[in-house]
Amino acid sequence: ITRTRFIGGLLGREGLSTVDNKAYDTAQMQGRDMMMDYRDQVADFAANTPSAALPPEVIDRTALILADCLGAIAGGAAEPEMQRLSAGAQGTAVVIGTALRADPARAAFLNGTAGTVLEMDEGNQFCKGHPGMHTVPAALAFAGGMAVSGRDLLSAIAIGYEVGARI
């Protein structure tokens, strides 16, 4: 499975769900677990795809997903339940829509929860889920303490989105 076919899922094109029958048959004949091969492919894709390998249309689409998620998170952060959940947060990562900061794991949790509380988070009709809201908060919390370019952040979100859409 090529990276081009894999990242195509972000754009609603052919993706990893189409397993190469020859590879599957070979794995079965050799007694290998095809699921392990699939997980290895996903892990290799996530760990080794360079930012430069992503086409401009993927980066552009990812920027829209990021903007959508930021709006949903900011809106959800204003809800009383989120304000109570965020109370006492301390750390270095931004809790979007508030003046608070939290440790990266808690910031990712709070931002992800805020992004779903109003049911306004983006959706992907092909995977029937919301991979943006699973990916964006974690990527932002992790990148917050690092010197990360916008392109690299968008690439990380695109790759995380693609993996989330596949599993």
Side-chain angles (χ1 to χ4, degrees), residues 43-64:
D44 177 65
F45 169 77
N48 297 314
T49 300
S51 176
L54 302 182
E57 62 267 21
V58 169
I59 296 300
D60 292 345
R61 178 71 178 252
T62 304
L64 293 175

Side-chain angles (χ1 to χ4, degrees), residues 76-87 110 113 117-118:
E79 291 298 302
E81 297 86 357
M82 285 308 306
Q83 292 173 1
R84 286 191 300 274
L85 191 60
S86 300
L110 291 170
T113 303
V117 77
L118 294 176

Side-chain angles (χ1 to χ4, degrees), residues 5 27 33 40 48 52 56 70 73 76 83-84 93-94 101 103 120 124 127 129 137 144 150 157 159:
R5 283 181 59 202
D33 177 9
D40 288 344
N48 297 314
L70 290 173
I73 294 168
Q83 292 173 1
R84 286 191 300 274
V94 173
R101 292 186 174 267
D103 66 86
M120 292 176 46
N124 182 304
C127 75
I157 292 169
I159 292 166

Side-chain angles (χ1 to χ4, degrees), residues 3-25:
R3 286 184 171 89
T4 303
R5 283 181 59 202
F6 196 85
I7 201 65
L10 183 64
L11 299 173
R13 300 182 187 140
E14 179 183 11
L16 193 59
S17 60
T18 305
V19 175
D20 180 353
N21 288 331
K22 183 177 177 187
Y24 180 80
D25 292 342

